Amino acid sequence: MKETPERELSPQESSDYTEWQKKKFDGVSSEDFNAAAVAYAKENPLRANS
């Protein structure tokens, strides 16, 4: 079953990714962000296409 986002944008709406990032990561230290990124990378290794 495919998950759907909370709210989809209509073709007339635009999304500002930069603003989303600012809000999502506001107050997160670079050390915490790096630790989360490293943990995610370990849990989700890149796989070559077969």
Side-chain angles (χ1 to χ4, degrees), residues 17-41:
Y17 186 73
T18 303
E19 283 301 315
W20 172 83
Q21 282 184 315
K22 286 179 186 176
K23 290 176 186 174
K24 177 149 178 83
F25 300 112
D26 189 33
V28 176
S29 72
S30 59
E31 292 84 7
D32 289 342
F33 183 88
N34 185 62
V38 169
Y40 180 86

